[in-house]
Amino acid sequence: MVRAWYMDDDPGDQRTEHHRNPPKFLSLEELYKISGVEYFKLNVKTYSTDGVLDKIKKERGYTYEDETTCSKECLPNYDEMLKKFFQEHLHTDEEIRFILDGSGYFDVRDKNDEWIRIEVVTGDMIIIPSGIYHRFTLDVKNYVKAKRFFIGEPVWLPYNRPADDMECRKQYLKKLEADFKSI
Ligand code: KMT
Ligand code: NI
């Protein structure tokens, strides 16, 4: 089950949970309203035949998919890549990940520029909207295997903060202002 909470300011080890004291958790509805992040639960044993993923792909126009594994053994330039994932950035398109195995944290900025940590585990599908500042880290288990989706030809390019003049950022802020009601 996906869990989300506000982070503390302790830089410490990025792979640990970093709860605020006292902890402040968010429901998926709250998370959506204040960030536009969407979430689906899939069955990792049956997703290729049960039609749930196919329906999401069709409705959202995801025509491209591949798989990625992040671990010391599987990811070329592991240390460098993990540093890159954890740099605060945005994309011109959605970042869509379906966790097949393992776990990790996506951190997203809320309206007030506070970090929200979203834990993803096996079976979670998360959609990070275009134009939101975010970052990713593995947790202490150092392992995740995920499917990536894209509408059309994939563009993985991150734009590190500050990227406030980008059109996708401006569009994102407009939707945020409207609590993502029209999506
Ligand atoms: C990304 O872009 O941050 C990643 O692909 C991270 C690994 S997938 C959970
Ligand atoms: Ni990203």
Side-chain angles (χ1 to χ4, degrees):
M1 182 60 196
V2 78
R3 294 185 306 148
W5 58 85
Y6 275 100
M7 294 182 79
D8 62 16
D9 294 323
D10 172 10
D13 180 354
Q14 70 187 51
R15 293 174 168 79
T16 59
E17 296 201 356
H18 282 286
H19 290 278
R20 247 188 216 172
N21 187 14
K24 188 178 174 193
F25 284 92
L26 290 159
S27 69
L28 288 172
E29 291 74 27
E30 287 169 318
L31 177 66
Y32 176 72
K33 262 190 81 171
I34 61 172
S35 69
V37 171
E38 291 175 85
Y39 170 78
F40 297 96
K41 185 80 198 172
L42 298 175
N43 185 325
V44 284
K45 291 201 182 82
T46 62
Y47 75 86
S48 56
T49 51
D50 64 24
V52 181
L53 177 60
D54 286 340
K55 187 162 174 277
I56 297 168
K57 278 164 60 180
K58 209 168 164 190
E59 280 174 1
R60 304 185 68 108
Y62 300 153
T63 47
Y64 171 93
E65 72 181 79
D66 68 7
E67 266 179 44
T68 179
T69 303
C70 298
S71 67
K72 281 196 183 85
E73 297 73 33
C74 295
L75 190 68
N77 307 319
Y78 173 84
D79 291 314
E80 194 185 308
M81 287 305 281
L82 280 215
K83 256 190 215 148
K84 212 166 124 184
F85 290 154
F86 202 61
Q87 277 265 335
E88 184 172 0
H89 64 273
L90 56 72
H91 306 280
T92 52
D93 299 88
E94 291 175 343
E95 181 166 327
I96 309 132
R97 299 290 185 271
F98 166 31
I99 311 301
L100 294 172
D101 198 12
S103 49
Y105 301 124
F106 282 97
D107 299 338
V108 299
R109 290 283 194 189
D110 84 345
K111 241 183 188 144
N112 305 316
D113 233 14
E114 310 268 9
W115 281 119
I116 297 168
R117 177 149 279 196
I118 305 164
E119 177 188 55
V120 289
V121 301
T122 305
D124 290 339
M125 181 171 183
I126 188 170
I127 303 175
I128 312 267
S130 73
I132 188 175
Y133 286 122
H134 67 278
R135 63 189 183 189
F136 173 80
T137 181
L138 290 171
D139 60 24
V140 289
K141 296 184 211 125
N142 285 320
Y143 170 67
V144 77
K145 183 173 164 195
K147 269 187 182 291
R148 310 191 291 184
F149 298 90
F150 212 87
I151 302 171
E153 275 306 299
V155 183
W156 309 121
L157 196 64
Y159 293 89
N160 287 343
R161 191 169 183 175
D164 297 334
D165 292 335
M166 291 187 67
E167 188 53 33
C168 64
R169 179 65 189 164
K170 291 178 188 163
Q171 290 297 324
Y172 174 76
L173 290 177
K174 265 191 207 163
K175 289 184 233 166
L176 181 67
E177 206 55 48
D179 298 328
F180 300 93
K181 274 181 188 132
S182 57
I183 300 182

